[in-house]
Amino acid sequence: MNIILYSERPDLASELVTAGRAIMDICGGALQALTIDDDEQADFLAARGVSVHRVRSDQPSPADVAQLASAVHQTAVALEADMILLASNRRGRELAGRLAQKLGGGCLTDVGRFEVLDGRPAFSRNALGGAVEDVRCMETGKQVIALTPHSFAAAGVATGPGPVSDLPVRLSPSLVRLKETIRKGADAVDIEKADILVVVGQGIENKEDLTKAAQIARSLGAEVACTKPVATDRKWFSEERIIGLSGKRCKPRLALLLGVSGQVQFTVGIRDAGAIVAVNLDEKANIAYVADYLLVGDLKTLLPELVKRFSA
Amino acid sequence: MGFVVVSDHGKEEAMNIVVAMKQVPDLKMIRIRDRRPLLEDVPFMMGEIDRSALEAGAELREALKGKLIVLSAGTEPLEDTVKEALAAGADEAILILDEALRDGESALVAQVLAAALARMPDVGIILFGEGSADNYSGQVMARVAEILSWPQVGYAREIRIEGGVAQITRSLEDCEELLEVPLPVAVSVVAEIRQPKTPSVTGILRAGRKPKTLWTLADLNIGLNGGAPVRTISRLAPVSSRLGQVIGSVDELVEIVKAKRGPS
Ligand SMILES: Cc1cc2nc3c(=O)[nH]c(=O)nc-3n(C[C@H](O)[C@H](O)[C@H](O)COP(=O)(O)OP(=O)(O)OC[C@H]3O[C@@H](n4cnc5c(N)ncnc54)[C@H](O)[C@@H]3O)c2cc1C
Ligand SMILES: Nc1ncnc2c1ncn2[C@@H]1O[C@H](COP(=O)(O)O)[C@@H](O)[C@H]1O
């Protein structure tokens, strides 16, 4: 198996190095990395012991996925790659489909792990919104696999650096013009690493109650995370704190879920938690199947009491 | 202010807005037995994010002076499911019905949607959901764009169209990008772009009379040589050993939380 890997983010690319090496252990072959107009990342990856191709485009336009796909495609052809490993962040997922179509290959995004079946890798990803997990195999010669961020450990610095070489590509003029980049306010939290999480759902109805949930989190030494609508509709938190299919996969020792209904797209992000304790008004909410312990009750009255009890 | 293309004949031409919508099982209704999903009797619906895309498309109708067309590829109940989209404001529907579309493999679906688009006149923009509600793969839009050689923009949070150009704000993990792209363009949207509308009674009554076009794979000249590029080997719910215990009091909750928290 001839594998090449690419992500615009060095941290995610170094996770792809680990995954790529694990696939090579199964199938043999070679692993090479590419960077696109980013010499700093090229050095970073070479230090991790992989062979790096610095792709130099004649017209860099990193916001244009068509251009990006063309650059990776040309490289894949030049290096005779069978498998292209990408990160399944938003840019990576968007690139994956276009690249797979160019290669005439199959594509899987959001792959969390793989196993060996008949000497080939078989990939696991969520399906039916997260209600089930599929194991899927590629039937095409060319394949594009995008891996869920943080499913693999980042590769560390190797004893000897890998070789670096330049690879020019020619792109047609870009149709997409980047007019402005607006940074999102950095949220320093890393809910994936938290030991204890207090998770806010839409059952917490106002900011005052939200403050109480935050107080409970502080007393417990927990980070605060949330369901998707709490971040995207109510805008109470940054999207960094979303748990679930389109958010983060967390494995805290303890999760306290406040007013979370427990729909599948949320549940996939918390199912590896140690213990799940939930408070919900509705004993028939799906969270009853997801939690270890469910207290049925109204958070409006329960929150002040919980604040008091946990601060004691 | 609307945008109008002037054709070679000097006539004003409107452009159409297409929304790709996927029929998915109502995931809230799926039960698991022996780790297998029970799908019989689970009703179908249009995907949630696709309904947000439809709402965003309805707003673009003004600017493009064209029609809002739903495009969907799937199996039998689709004619019924699409009524929901027609009731929510789409002007017409183009449906590709074929048994081969049952498991919705991305490469095949993209080929089908692109072939249908190539037959539809004056498409200015096609909107997709960021990911389908069931498969959540995020591939179909990019594959369609590649087949048609169109530019693409993923994860749009805001779309404005003026003078043949789309101004799109896309939302990535760490930043937002404001992009300018000429039409035609393929765009995927995030759920928060618009709240999906619940169809009104008049909408529902009108839906039955709106035009629906049915195509098969044969109509689109699509053969199934080679088979799917991806094979599903197993589909199982993860093993769960949750206690699912209802507790009776705050005391109990506090005790459990303190015990599970461990030494801090
Ligand atoms: C493709 C796709 C991807 C998605 N990805 C994600 C994701 O990554 N993460 C995610 O979270 N969601 C995701 N969703 C959305 C998901 O389907 C649900 O809509 C969402 O998880 C619901 O959030 P919630 O539980 O906060 O809100 P609701 O479903 O509205 O639940 C609120 C709960 O609070 C309870 N409640 C109300 N009032 C009180 C009270 N006073 N006291 C106690 N309890 C109360 C209610 O009984 C209810 O159970 C996705 C959806 C799609 C289609
Ligand atoms: N069978 C289908 N028919 C119409 N549109 C589809 C179909 N499958 C996927 N789509 C569109 O592509 C988007 C992304 O789907 P996916 O690539 O499966 O995550 C969906 O939100 C829909 O807009």
Side-chain angles (χ1 to χ4, degrees):
Chain A
M1 186 84 70
N2 220 342
I3 308 172
I4 61 173
L5 66 89
Y6 169 74
S7 169
E8 79 287 349
R9 277 187 39 188
D11 57 335
L12 301 183
S14 69
E15 294 174 7
L16 301 180
V17 172
T18 306
R21 284 180 175 147
I23 294 173
M24 273 206 312
D25 286 345
I26 304 168
C27 312
L31 176 70
Q32 303 175 77
L34 56 115
T35 60
I36 300 179
D37 301 314
D38 186 348
D39 289 356
E40 204 177 316
Q41 197 198 142
D43 294 340
F44 174 86
L45 289 176
R48 268 117 198 109
V50 269
S51 163
V52 182
H53 296 274
R54 296 196 293 206
V55 174
R56 309 253 185 229
S57 61
D58 50 352
Q59 23 200 341
S61 44
D64 184 347
V65 176
Q67 297 279 75
L68 211 54
S70 178
V72 179
H73 178 241
Q74 288 177 47
T75 314
V77 171
L79 300 176
E80 296 177 355
D82 313 301
M83 180 187 282
I84 294 96
L85 283 182
L86 304 173
S88 203
N89 58 345
R90 287 187 169 184
R91 279 194 209 278
R93 271 201 302 271
E94 215 191 316
L95 170 61
R98 191 136 193 164
L99 182 59
Q101 191 63 42
K102 274 187 189 295
L103 289 162
C107 173
L108 291 174
T109 57
D110 222 356
V111 168
R113 59 198 163 78
F114 57 83
E115 60 202 284
V116 194
L117 280 180
D118 302 329
R120 303 192 291 173
F123 301 94
S124 297
R125 73 185 301 278
N126 289 307
L128 293 178
V132 294
E133 202 177 58
D134 276 4
V135 178
R136 296 191 194 173
C137 242
M138 308 301 270
E139 301 289 350
T140 47
K142 309 281 177 208
Q143 42 190 284
V144 178
I145 307 290
L147 299 171
T148 309
H150 315 319
S151 302
F152 294 85
V157 174
T159 37
V164 178
S165 56
D166 287 339
L167 209 130
V169 294
R170 294 184 64 94
L171 302 176
S172 40
S174 175
L175 291 173
V176 179
R177 200 157 74 83
L178 175 61
K179 291 182 72 181
E180 198 183 338
T181 303
I182 309 130
R183 293 272 141 220
K184 287 186 179 172
D187 190 346
V189 73
D190 188 353
I191 59 168
E192 283 163 308
K193 295 221 173 77
D195 266 343
I196 306 168
L197 284 175
V198 168
V199 185
V200 175
Q202 294 200 104
I204 290 188
E205 282 163 14
N206 56 49
K207 283 257 171 113
E208 207 179 308
D209 284 352
L210 180 65
T211 314
K212 297 195 178 92
Q215 249 173 301
I216 294 170
R218 224 170 316 142
S219 303
L220 293 174
E223 292 289 359
V224 179
C226 64
T227 62
K228 188 175 176 187
V230 168
T232 57
D233 298 350
R234 293 202 186 148
K235 311 230 177 292
W236 285 355
F237 295 107
S238 79
E239 291 178 38
E240 285 292 295
R241 291 187 195 250
I242 299 174
I243 291 180
L245 191 63
S246 52
K248 304 263 169 84
R249 320 290 150 87
C250 300
K251 352 181 171 4
R253 188 166 69 225
L254 167 67
L256 178 59
L257 276 39
L258 304 173
V260 174
S261 62
Q263 291 176 38
V264 283
Q265 298 96 346
F266 168 80
T267 307
V268 286
I270 198 75
R271 68 178 172 217
D272 294 329
I276 300 178
V277 182
V279 181
N280 199 303
L281 200 54
D282 176 8
E283 63 182 322
K284 293 205 185 70
N286 198 51
I287 203 67
Y289 305 97
V290 177
D292 292 299
Y293 305 97
L294 170 65
L295 177 64
V296 179
D298 189 341
L299 282 163
K300 282 194 211 66
T301 51
L302 286 171
L303 278 171
E305 195 172 346
L306 290 173
V307 168
K308 227 181 328 169
R309 296 290 298 273
F310 284 123
S311 63
Chain B
M1 191 190 68
F3 149 62
V4 179
V5 178
V6 179
S7 75
D8 299 343
H9 324 290
K11 253 187 6 213
E12 284 189 348
E13 264 176 31
M15 292 190 104
N16 297 319
I17 303 139
V18 178
V19 183
M21 298 183 81
K22 185 182 186 185
Q23 160 183 273
V24 294
D26 185 346
L27 300 172
K28 286 197 203 80
M29 305 289 282
I30 293 178
R31 293 289 164 263
I32 303 287
R33 191 184 301 148
D34 297 332
R35 298 185 63 198
R36 284 171 208 284
L38 304 176
L39 287 163
E40 298 80 31
D41 306 326
V42 174
F44 281 96
M45 56 186 278
M46 284 300 176
E48 203 170 293
I49 305 181
D50 301 357
R51 290 190 287 135
S52 298
L54 184 71
E55 197 48 40
E59 283 180 31
L60 295 176
R61 199 163 17 191
E62 275 301 291
L64 287 173
K65 304 263 182 264
K67 283 184 293 191
L68 182 64
I69 305 169
V70 175
L71 175 62
S72 188
T75 51
E76 203 28 76
L78 187 54
E79 261 193 275
D80 218 36
T81 315
V82 79
K83 282 189 195 141
E84 179 191 334
L86 293 170
D91 298 310
E92 62 177 274
I94 293 181
L95 308 177
I96 303 100
L97 280 170
D98 205 296
E99 251 328 284
L101 294 164
R102 181 163 296 280
D103 54 357
E105 210 289 313
S106 306
L108 176 62
V109 168
Q111 195 191 353
V112 168
L113 298 183
L117 276 169
R119 275 156 208 252
M120 298 163 65
D122 310 316
V123 176
I125 187 167
I126 174 162
L127 303 179
F128 296 78
E130 161 230 322
S132 53
D134 53 353
N135 199 31
Y136 198 65
S137 162
Q139 277 184 53
V140 172
M141 180 277 273
R143 282 186 180 270
V144 170
E146 171 61 24
I147 297 170
L148 298 172
S149 299
W150 285 8
Q152 71 180 72
V153 176
Y155 305 96
R157 175 178 72 65
E158 195 61 64
I159 307 168
R160 278 178 228 287
I161 296 179
E162 222 174 281
V165 176
Q167 308 268 351
I168 300 174
T169 307
R170 69 196 302 228
S171 172
L172 299 171
E173 285 89 351
D174 55 347
C175 69
E176 289 193 341
E177 290 179 340
L178 175 59
L179 303 173
E180 198 173 82
V181 204
L183 305 185
V185 62
V187 176
S188 81
V189 307
V190 290
E192 57 269 27
I193 188 166
R194 287 295 176 273
Q195 194 77 25
K197 212 184 252 148
T198 321
S200 64
V201 176
T202 45
I204 294 168
L205 291 175
R206 244 184 253 146
R209 291 197 297 272
K210 289 182 173 172
K212 260 188 281 179
T213 308
L214 305 186
W215 281 330
T216 61
L217 294 193
D219 292 334
L220 297 175
N221 275 330
I222 291 174
L224 290 172
N225 43 353
V230 181
R231 186 160 55 96
T232 301
I233 294 166
S234 70
R235 164 165 292 189
L236 292 172
V239 189
S240 167
S241 50
R242 296 287 163 202
L243 303 176
Q245 197 174 314
V246 174
I247 49 179
S249 66
V250 173
D251 285 347
E252 232 177 304
L253 180 131
V254 170
E255 202 175 303
I256 291 164
V257 165
K258 283 190 170 160
K260 297 288 175 189
R261 182 178 71 150
S264 46

